[in-house]
């Protein structure tokens, strides 16, 4: 099964035809996984081996404005700069848009504004594809349900399936070959005291994409066989932590899950290591704070940056130990 078959199954006759408005816009928050998605059971459809669970950063993400244009090709603008048609980003976006149009006559201007570093392990593709599919849904008035939007966003980037909501979100791995049961949905949990600290260690583009690193890990890592068991345990612990509002359990499960994911990739060949010396140094500061009694944890995605998890009571101490931290509060 190809991506286009999934799109046809969901949209039927509604493929990109006449836009219903002059423009369509949408914002999508970026999300940070507390239990990671790492490894695909179907590479073409971005179907994951395991389920995953994330938290959204409400004001951090991507806003996409779409407008039909009378040119032959799409025009892609990222943070007010027109991108070259042969840049990797524009090609990946064009391939995604092509899934929704029968012929190329429907060219679009895609104007994306992101307030997070692009391709630095801060889930820019997650919020990028989620905002793009929501903007298309608005421009063409497809009337898609959140579940359908999640499935379509997943075709752009797996973690995008989780970027359609604020708060805690679970992405069900699903078992079907067509992936119609592999979608995300929000969890009804509020956690006002939880703060997320973004520790930008390097804002540059990562040397190995998460897509490549993931596939390499599944194909060559001896440790990958344990990963589904790690996830099964951690999903249970996280659900328990959310139910009981047990912050220590939430934090240590997220930290241990991230370290286990990085262990699988460093045991792949060629090895993938996203840590920089400052990443490790910052982990030691977190561990040192814990030894002194502060309940603080970290998680790390496919990049050198850390995301700190802590409660608002220790905000001043966190700022003192990490002067460059950017602190995000969760939405009400
Ligand atoms: O959706 P992708 O292909 O960008 O992969 C995301 C992978 C991680 O960020 C490391 C984990 C996750 O669950 O978001």
């Amino acid at each position: 099964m190809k991506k286009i078959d999934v799109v046809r199954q969901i949209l039927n006759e509604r493929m990109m035809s006449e836009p219903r408005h002059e423009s369509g816009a949408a914002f999508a928050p970026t999300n940070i996984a507390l239990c990671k998605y790492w490894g695909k059971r179907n590479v073409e459809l971005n179907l994951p081996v395991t389920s995953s669970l994330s938290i959204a950063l409400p004001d951090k993400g991507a806003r996409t404005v779409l407008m039909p244009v009378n040119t032959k090709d799409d025009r892609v603008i990222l943070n007010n700069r027109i991108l070259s048609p042969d840049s990797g980003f524009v090609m990946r976006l064009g391939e995604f848009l092509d899934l929704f149009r029968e012929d190329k006559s429907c060219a679009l201007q895609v104007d994306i504004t992101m307030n997070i570093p692009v391709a630095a392990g801060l889930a820019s593709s997650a919020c990028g594809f989620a905002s793009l599919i929501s903007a298309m849904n608005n421009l063409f008035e497809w009337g898609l349900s959140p579940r359908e939007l999640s499935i379509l966003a997943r075709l752009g980037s797996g973690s995008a399936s989780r970027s359609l909501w604020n708060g805690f979100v679970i992405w069900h791995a699903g078992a079907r070959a067509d992936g119609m049961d592999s979608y995300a949905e929000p969890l009804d949990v509020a956690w006002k005291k939880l703060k997320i600290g973004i520790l930008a260690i390097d804002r540059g583009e990562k040397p190995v994409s998460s897509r490549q690193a993931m596939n390499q890990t599944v194909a060559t890592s001896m440790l990958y066989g344990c990963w589904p068991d790690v996830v099964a345990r951690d999903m249970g612990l996280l659900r328990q932590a959310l139910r009981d509002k047990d912050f220590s359990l939430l934090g240590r499960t997220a930290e241990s899950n991230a370290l286990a994911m990085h262990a699988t990739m460093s045991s792949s060949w060629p090895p993938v290591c996203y840590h920089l010396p400052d990443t490790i140094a910052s982990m030691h500061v977190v561990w040192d704070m814990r030894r002194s009694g502060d309940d603080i944890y970290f998680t790390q995605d496919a990049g050198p940056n850390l995301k700190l998890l802590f409660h608002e009571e220790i905000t001043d101490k966190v700022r003192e130990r990490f002067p460059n931290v950017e602190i995000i509060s969760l939405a009400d």
Side-chain angles (χ1 to χ4, degrees):
M1 174 162 269
K2 295 271 176 223
K3 284 181 180 165
I4 190 124
D5 303 316
V6 176
V7 172
R8 290 210 176 105
Q9 206 166 314
I10 290 179
L11 285 184
N12 303 314
E13 302 88 47
R14 289 173 293 177
M15 302 292 272
M16 258 154 81
S17 46
E18 282 305 299
R20 299 296 181 90
H21 305 278
E22 273 177 21
S23 65
F27 174 82
T30 192
N31 74 79
I32 288 170
L34 302 177
C35 181
K36 309 292 185 191
Y37 146 57
W38 196 248
K40 306 179 196 205
R41 66 181 160 88
N42 179 320
V43 173
E44 161 75 13
L45 301 183
N46 289 336
L47 292 176
V49 171
T50 67
S51 297
S52 54
L53 195 151
S54 62
I55 174 87
L57 304 187
D59 305 321
K60 294 273 160 196
R63 180 176 158 78
T64 296
V65 183
L66 288 178
M67 271 168 57
V69 281
N70 289 327
T71 48
K72 194 164 84 32
D73 296 314
D74 299 319
R75 214 167 100 103
V76 181
I77 304 168
L78 178 63
N79 291 341
N80 297 321
R81 277 189 37 227
I82 299 180
L83 298 185
S84 149
D86 29 60
S87 78
F89 187 83
V90 174
M91 304 226 287
R92 198 166 158 206
L93 224 110
E95 274 169 29
F96 186 74
L97 290 173
D98 285 347
L99 295 171
F100 298 85
R101 48 189 165 204
E102 310 273 33
D103 59 62
K104 264 245 180 190
S105 60
C106 193
L108 290 172
Q109 173 172 295
V110 186
D111 188 350
I112 308 176
T113 313
M114 284 195 194
N115 57 2
I116 50 164
V118 178
L122 283 168
S124 52
S125 63
C127 56
F129 282 108
S131 65
L132 178 58
I133 192 67
S134 301
M136 285 161 83
N137 189 38
N138 294 339
L139 180 64
F140 294 96
E141 273 191 15
W142 286 330
L144 295 171
S145 68
R147 181 178 297 189
E148 289 170 323
L149 289 173
S150 174
I151 291 174
L152 294 175
R154 164 172 54 75
L155 300 179
S157 162
S159 52
S161 65
R162 299 186 309 238
S163 257
L164 294 150
W165 301 270
N166 277 330
F168 295 93
V169 173
I170 185 165
W171 172 16
H172 306 286
R176 285 175 57 152
D178 63 3
M180 288 302 167
D181 56 355
S182 183
Y183 55 83
E185 57 187 1
L187 295 171
D188 188 16
V189 182
W191 201 316
K192 281 192 176 171
K193 274 162 60 156
L194 183 62
K195 301 277 173 198
I196 298 180
I198 308 282
L199 215 55
I201 285 160
D202 188 322
R203 288 176 178 267
E205 195 154 329
K206 55 197 172 203
V208 185
S209 69
S210 52
R211 173 179 299 229
Q212 189 190 330
M214 213 182 271
N215 295 343
Q216 209 160 292
T217 304
V218 176
T220 67
S221 165
M222 286 262 293
L223 297 186
Y224 192 72
C226 303
W227 178 247
D229 294 336
V230 171
V231 171
R233 180 199 63 187
D234 292 347
M235 288 296 279
L237 293 174
L238 285 173
R239 278 179 170 279
Q240 185 185 333
L242 293 177
R243 194 186 56 229
D244 301 345
K245 287 281 160 58
D246 182 340
F247 175 66
S248 302
L249 182 60
L250 183 96
R252 64 172 188 262
T253 307
E255 184 174 307
S256 149
N257 183 271
L259 289 168
M261 175 184 76
H262 284 276
T264 67
M265 57 181 110
S266 59
S267 68
S268 71
W269 199 264
V272 181
C273 176
Y274 286 112
H275 308 324
L276 290 176
D278 278 350
T279 313
I280 306 279
S282 302
M283 288 180 185
H284 281 278
V285 176
V286 170
W287 294 326
D288 187 47
M289 287 181 77
R290 279 221 294 277
R291 275 193 298 272
S292 327
D294 294 324
D295 223 8
I296 177 166
Y297 303 86
F298 65 81
T299 183
Q300 181 188 357
D301 290 298
N305 307 311
L306 294 187
K307 292 94 186 191
L308 307 174
L309 303 165
F310 57 95
H311 266 173
E312 62 188 6
E313 287 85 357
I314 64 160
T315 302
D316 289 347
K317 286 186 190 172
V318 174
R319 283 197 200 283
E320 202 179 296
R321 298 300 295 267
F322 298 102
N324 298 327
V325 70
E326 185 178 350
I327 297 178
I328 315 276
S329 301
L330 300 188
D332 289 338

